[in-house]
């Protein structure tokens, strides 16, 4: 199957998270959009540039996943143009304010604009990634943009189809109640219960555990509640924000 045929069959943009202020834009609105940072050349990752016929310039990427997504954007008839590293946003990491640059901004044939963060399934469960998504929701909702967290083919919704390994889940919850789990101990537990990697990730998501892949850490702790309410429980972001503001006014 060619990429073009695949793009007709597979429309990841149906999974975009939209907000009340969903807006259509004139293409000239983005005339001065430029990449907000240069991607890293870390030898641990696949990085480089790809010449885009659609954008008529070289597009930077810093992972194989991003390169595959760029190729998808080139073939998708829904995509008019796109930019890498399109905006710089703020988000809260505990009590400290940080900045972050999402992977892509995509202008669709519907005149809508979508900010896209490309992560593998494991990356979507990273504690820091979820903090960034909470900041990105605020950014997109106030500007009328859509938001998409994807590995290029799936979103975090794929975990709904994955069965939970109950024995592994029970032991992980027992252990995390006592201490932080490191990579070696975690791999031993997965092997002990004959679980797949995705079954392990399902347990993290289901039980709202705090996860970091490098250096590896799995524990109970602070939760990114807004992320889970919107991405997992499918509550409307705008309703949650209005409810939070009303609660503050009452208190």
């Amino acid at each position: 199957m060619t990429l073009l045929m695949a793009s007709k069959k597979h429309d990841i943009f149906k999974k975009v998270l939209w907000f009340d202020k969903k807006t259509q834009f004139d293409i000239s609105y983005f005339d001065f959009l430029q990449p907000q940072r240069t991607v890293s050349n870390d030898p641990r990752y696949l990085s480089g540039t790809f010449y885009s016929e659609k954008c008529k310039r070289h597009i930077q990427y810093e992972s194989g996943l991003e390169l595959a997504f760029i190729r998808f954007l080139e073939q998708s008839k829904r995509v008019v143009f796109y930019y890498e590293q399109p905006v710089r946003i703020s988000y809260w990491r505990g009590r400290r304010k940080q900045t972050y640059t999402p992977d892509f901004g995509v202008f669709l044939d519907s005149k809508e604009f979508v900010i896209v963060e490309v992560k593998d399934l494991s990356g979507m469960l990273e504690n820091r990634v979820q903090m960034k998504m909470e900041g990105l929701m605020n950014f997109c909702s106030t500007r009328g943009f859509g938001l998409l967290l994807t590995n290029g083919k799936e979103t975090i919704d794929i975990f709904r189809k994955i069965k939970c390994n109950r024995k592994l889940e029970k032991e992980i919850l027992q252990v995390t109640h006592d201490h932080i789990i490191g990579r070696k101990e975690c791999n031993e537990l997965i092997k002990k219960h004959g679980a797949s990697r995705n079954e392990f990730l399902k347990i993290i998501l289901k039980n709202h555990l705090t996860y970091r892949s490098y250096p590896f850490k799995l524990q109970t702790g602070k939760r990114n509640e807004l992320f889970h309410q919107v991405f997992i429980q499918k509550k409307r972001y705008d309703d949650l924000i209005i409810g939070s503001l009303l609660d503050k006014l009452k208190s």
Side-chain angles (χ1 to χ4, degrees):
M1 181 182 290
T2 66
L3 283 173
L4 183 58
M5 289 172 66
S7 67
K8 289 179 179 179
K9 189 175 181 179
H10 169 67
D11 185 7
I12 193 64
F13 295 109
K14 290 181 179 178
K15 301 291 187 70
V16 171
L17 175 64
W18 295 105
F19 306 92
D20 283 354
K21 199 180 175 181
K22 182 178 179 181
T23 305
Q24 290 183 311
F25 298 90
D26 188 276
I27 195 168
S28 61
Y29 182 88
F30 301 99
D31 279 349
F32 299 103
L33 186 65
Q34 295 292 330
Q36 297 300 298
R37 77 173 181 93
T38 301
V39 303
S40 66
N41 290 313
D42 192 319
R44 293 178 301 170
Y45 307 107
L46 173 65
S47 62
T49 61
F50 176 94
Y51 184 77
S52 166
E53 291 292 342
K54 189 166 284 187
C55 303
K56 302 303 179 186
R57 67 177 185 86
H58 283 90
I59 304 293
Q60 303 172 87
Y61 61 87
E62 53 188 347
S63 72
L65 212 57
E66 288 185 16
L67 176 58
F69 189 67
I70 287 170
R71 287 174 170 152
F72 166 76
L73 294 177
E74 284 291 305
Q75 296 294 332
S76 174
K77 289 188 174 182
R78 292 206 59 193
V79 176
V80 178
F81 74 88
Y82 56 96
Y83 265 92
E84 79 279 36
Q85 314 296 320
V87 292
R88 197 175 284 272
I89 71 156
S90 298
Y91 72 98
W92 288 99
R93 188 179 181 186
R95 295 183 178 181
R96 294 196 301 177
K97 203 169 190 179
Q98 305 280 331
T99 59
Y100 143 71
T101 311
D103 294 322
F104 297 99
V106 182
F107 187 72
L108 301 176
D109 59 356
S110 58
K111 297 187 177 181
E112 295 157 336
F113 193 72
V114 181
I115 300 292
V116 184
E117 181 68 13
V118 180
K119 286 284 183 287
D120 61 17
L121 295 180
S122 175
M124 294 179 196
L125 304 189
E126 289 263 5
N127 187 49
R128 190 170 180 181
V129 169
Q130 294 179 6
M131 292 178 186
K132 292 175 180 179
M133 290 302 100
E134 291 188 350
L136 193 52
M137 281 190 279
N138 176 63
F139 180 88
C140 291
S141 67
T142 58
R143 289 161 178 79
F145 298 162
L147 190 164
L148 180 61
L149 175 62
T150 182
N151 64 2
K153 296 181 179 179
E154 304 287 352
T155 67
I156 204 166
D157 292 342
I158 191 66
F159 286 105
R160 294 175 179 271
K161 301 177 183 178
I162 298 170
K163 292 183 178 180
C164 190
N165 186 311
R166 302 292 184 184
K167 292 182 179 179
L168 176 61
E169 179 183 31
K170 182 179 179 180
E171 188 158 3
I172 282 181
L173 293 179
Q174 288 174 342
V175 175
T176 52
H177 180 73
D178 296 327
H179 61 267
I180 297 171
I181 301 180
R183 184 182 299 278
K184 182 179 179 181
E185 183 178 7
C186 185
N187 287 340
E188 288 172 351
L189 290 174
I190 292 172
K191 184 178 180 180
K192 174 183 177 181
H193 295 287
S196 68
R197 179 69 175 172
N198 282 348
E199 286 176 331
F200 163 67
L201 296 175
K202 170 84 173 192
I203 291 167
I204 295 175
L205 187 65
K206 178 185 174 185
N207 295 281
H208 214 154
L209 299 175
T210 300
Y211 167 71
R212 186 175 68 189
S213 63
Y214 186 82
F216 189 98
K217 184 185 288 187
L218 182 64
Q219 64 187 118
T220 58
K222 293 182 179 179
R223 300 180 174 188
N224 301 309
E225 194 61 40
L226 185 59
F227 176 90
H228 275 258
Q229 287 178 320
V230 175
F231 281 85
I232 310 305
Q233 298 174 22
K234 300 302 179 183
K235 294 182 180 180
R236 295 182 68 255
Y237 174 83
D238 300 274
D239 291 344
L240 293 170
I241 295 302
I242 291 171
S244 178
L245 290 173
L246 290 175
D247 289 342
K248 288 180 180 179
L249 290 173
K250 291 177 183 177
S251 60

